[in-house]
Amino acid sequence: MTLAHMAGISTFVTGGIGGVHRNGHVSLDISADLTELSRTPVVVVSAGIKSILDIGRTLEVLETLGVPTVAYGADEFPAFFSPTSGIKAPVRM
């Protein structure tokens, strides 16, 4: 994302983003992706949060960091390889 921003690219597309690992509230195992998403002024389009992660907690951390999250055409936030996760999307577009 940083390199995209430095190259003047305003939109970055990726398969899935990292996030809070399951039991991350105990281990504090949280992907640096989340911090980078809050720092780099680039729109990131992805297939969702990787499904092996804690999607609900990841969305909470993104909200805390001021990162807007939007699901396109879906009421649930996508889980990388699945269009549904059981977690309500913060915003539907």
Side-chain angles (χ1 to χ4, degrees):
M1 291 183 299
T2 301
L3 292 175
H5 174 64
M6 290 171 62
I9 298 169
S10 61
T11 304
F12 180 85
V13 180
T14 185
I17 64 166
V20 179
H21 288 255
R22 295 182 193 269
N23 293 315
H25 61 289
V26 175
S27 67
L28 299 178
D29 192 356
I30 301 172
S31 171
D33 287 2
L34 305 185
T35 304
E36 196 60 38
L37 285 164
S38 72
R39 291 182 180 167
T40 309
V42 172
V43 173
V44 176
V45 178
S46 80
I49 297 163
K50 294 175 183 169
S51 57
I52 61 169
L53 302 172
D54 187 326
I55 295 170
R57 281 200 166 93
T58 298
L59 289 170
E60 287 180 24
V61 170
L62 288 170
E63 178 184 12
T64 299
L65 294 172
V67 178
T69 53
V70 177
Y72 182 75
D75 293 323
E76 291 183 23
F77 204 79
F80 189 45
F81 66 88
S82 173
T84 59
S85 65
I87 306 292
K88 186 178 182 317
V91 176
R92 178 194 168 125
M93 178 185 218

